[in-house]
């Protein structure tokens, strides 16, 4: 009986350690820094889209920049943890500023980076 209890404890401890290892792996992946380029299409100029983008990026802890293009879109770059970048991508695709009308958002050149290259999130002119 004592041996069976010991084996049961070992199995439980092993399972708990595996769960802890998986949690650590997920947390490490979430803290990896990602960078990407974006372009947002639709009614995104003259509707404070850049200002709201900057506000949302600061709220999420995302760094980078955005600016208007001559084609009527907004382009920019994002840097942040995986979760923050994912949330920002979702916001750029679906939410935007209150008066904006987003028809599509494109994301390119997504990559892991070893460290931030921007100090904050700026609006370029």
């Amino acid at each position: 009986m004592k041996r069976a209890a010991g084996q049961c404890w070992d199995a439980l401890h092993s399972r708990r350690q595996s769960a802890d290892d998986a949690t650590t792996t997920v947390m490490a992946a979430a803290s990896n820094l990602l960078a990407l380029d974006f372009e947002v299409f639709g009614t995104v100029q003259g509707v404070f889209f850049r200002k709201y983008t900057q506000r949302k990026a600061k709220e999420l802890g995302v760094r980078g920049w955005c600016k208007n293009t001559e084609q009527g879109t907004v382009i920019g770059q994002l840097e942040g943890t995986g979760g923050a970048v994912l949330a920002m991508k979702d916001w750029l695709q679906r939410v935007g500023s209150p008066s904006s009308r987003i028809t599509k958002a494109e994301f390119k050149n997504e990559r892991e980076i070893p460290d931030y290259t921007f100090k904050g999130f700026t609006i370029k002119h």
Side-chain angles (χ1 to χ4, degrees):
M1 178 72 168
K2 202 176 211 181
R3 186 168 188 214
Q7 288 173 334
C8 199
W9 168 257
D10 290 344
L12 178 61
H13 180 70
S14 175
R15 219 175 294 146
R16 177 173 287 155
Q17 186 62 45
S18 293
D20 290 346
D21 290 347
T23 300
T24 300
T25 300
V26 167
M27 288 174 62
S31 65
N32 285 346
L33 294 178
L34 297 178
L36 61 81
D37 304 328
F38 70 87
E39 185 167 12
V40 184
F41 299 79
T43 305
V44 293
Q45 290 189 8
V47 292
F48 300 99
F49 190 87
R50 293 174 299 154
K51 190 68 177 166
Y52 276 85
T53 299
Q54 181 183 47
R55 185 180 299 168
K56 187 62 176 182
K58 287 182 176 183
E59 176 187 312
L60 293 171
V62 171
R63 300 180 188 188
W65 59 269
C66 66
K67 73 174 192 174
N68 286 341
T69 69
E70 291 180 7
Q71 294 75 33
T73 64
V74 172
I75 61 169
Q77 292 184 325
L78 305 175
E79 294 179 342
T81 60
V85 168
L86 185 63
M88 191 71 199
K89 285 171 68 174
D90 182 63
W91 186 90
L92 288 167
Q93 287 176 313
R94 297 184 322 99
V95 182
S97 66
S99 297
S100 66
R101 296 295 171 257
I102 300 163
T103 56
K104 74 175 179 174
E106 292 181 351
F107 304 97
K108 298 178 182 172
N109 198 21
E110 188 165 335
R111 64 217 176 268
E112 282 194 24
I113 55 172
D115 204 358
Y116 287 105
T117 59
F118 300 107
K119 293 188 185 306
F121 194 94
T122 60
I123 297 172
K124 292 185 175 186
H125 299 278

